Amino acid sequence: TRVSELHSSNKFELIYDGLFYGIGQASQRAIALICLPFFIQYINPSDYGVVGLLSSLSIFLIPIFSLGLNFSTGVCYFNSKKKSRTDVISSALFISLISAGIFLIGTIFFIDELSRLFFSTLEYKLHTLVAFITIFFSILCIPIQLYQQYMKQSAPFLIFALLSSFFSVIVSLLAIVLMGYGALGLLIGAMVGQIFLFLLLIFSNYKLFSFTS
């Protein structure tokens, strides 16, 4: 009986955590989709192609520059002794910082070439830079979000995701409606939201992420 109760408890916990993580991961896209009919009134429809291309690039670039840490971190974490597990996350964050830093430096130095490559013009150079800065912070968030999942911090995971999503929408609203930035405002909102998420993750776990022994 105790074994069956334990299995039932584990199943419930799995469903509960999975629901929170799923909602957290989907929240930013869902909120952006809900706001889309409003934003489209202030953005040139042709510029949505720019946002769509840059969003597609993020899907391609994040797995490359995160160096497969989504998979390798979990293996190293659970194969380590409990006292050493936070060191695994610290190392993953350090590796992410180096990889993302190389990515960002390369972006800054070759931003003109990248803009011409993607759009055949320098008109969207700032759009590209903002989108790639968002990718930079997305990569840095991965190890800490993995730690939240390993520690079963499903509630903070969801709260942080929702807060960053709403913050992103507010900034997008200000940039698009009040400042008239158009599609660039949408990208700025996404960037600021991702930076805000990174700061939330770091400040809530600052004691765990030390690069010195």
Side-chain angles (χ1 to χ4, degrees):
T1 304
R2 181 174 296 181
V3 174
S4 62
E5 289 178 355
L6 180 61
H7 283 307
S8 298
S9 176
N10 288 338
K11 288 180 181 178
F12 177 78
E13 186 177 1
L14 179 62
I15 295 173
Y16 175 83
D17 288 342
L19 182 63
F20 272 52
Y21 294 136
I23 295 174
Q25 291 175 345
S27 61
Q28 190 167 16
R29 294 179 182 177
I31 293 174
L33 185 62
I34 293 172
C35 296
L36 183 61
F38 176 77
F39 287 147
I40 203 171
Q41 302 177 48
Y42 298 90
I43 299 177
N44 188 331
S46 62
D47 287 345
Y48 270 105
V50 175
V51 177
L53 176 58
L54 293 173
S55 298
S56 299
L57 286 172
S58 70
I59 296 173
F60 173 72
L61 291 171
I62 289 176
I64 293 176
F65 285 92
S66 63
L67 304 177
L69 289 174
N70 274 328
F71 306 100
S72 59
T73 302
V75 175
C76 294
Y77 183 88
F78 290 107
N79 284 336
S80 300
K81 296 179 180 179
K82 288 187 177 180
K83 293 182 180 179
S84 304
R85 288 180 173 178
T86 53
D87 294 335
V88 173
I89 304 299
S90 297
S91 298
L93 182 59
F94 184 62
I95 293 170
S96 295
L97 182 61
I98 294 175
S99 179
I102 293 173
F103 168 77
L104 185 60
I105 291 171
T107 297
I108 294 172
F109 275 101
F110 297 102
I111 188 62
D112 286 354
E113 290 77 6
L114 290 170
S115 181
R116 290 194 183 98
L117 175 64
F118 299 142
F119 305 108
S120 301
T121 176
L122 293 179
E123 181 182 355
Y124 299 108
K125 179 172 72 173
L126 187 55
H127 296 65
T128 305
L129 179 60
V130 170
F132 279 26
I133 291 174
T134 306
I135 293 175
F136 169 80
F137 282 100
S138 297
I139 295 170
L140 294 184
C141 287
I142 290 174
I144 318 177
Q145 289 185 307
L146 288 174
Y147 178 76
Q148 283 187 313
Q149 295 180 45
Y150 300 156
M151 294 298 293
K152 298 182 179 180
Q153 297 178 358
S154 55
F157 185 96
L158 176 59
I159 292 170
F160 289 173
L162 290 175
L163 285 174
S164 65
S165 298
F166 281 116
F167 195 64
S168 175
V169 169
I170 291 173
V171 172
S172 296
L173 185 65
L174 294 174
I176 294 172
V177 178
L178 296 184
M179 300 179 183
Y181 285 164
L184 179 60
L186 203 58
L187 295 169
I188 290 173
M191 179 187 69
V192 174
Q194 196 63 47
I195 295 173
F196 183 63
L197 175 60
F198 175 72
L199 293 176
L200 286 175
L201 291 168
I202 285 292
F203 287 140
S204 63
N205 297 283
Y206 70 96
K207 293 182 180 179
L208 300 173
F209 305 108
S210 173
F211 300 126
T212 58
S213 55

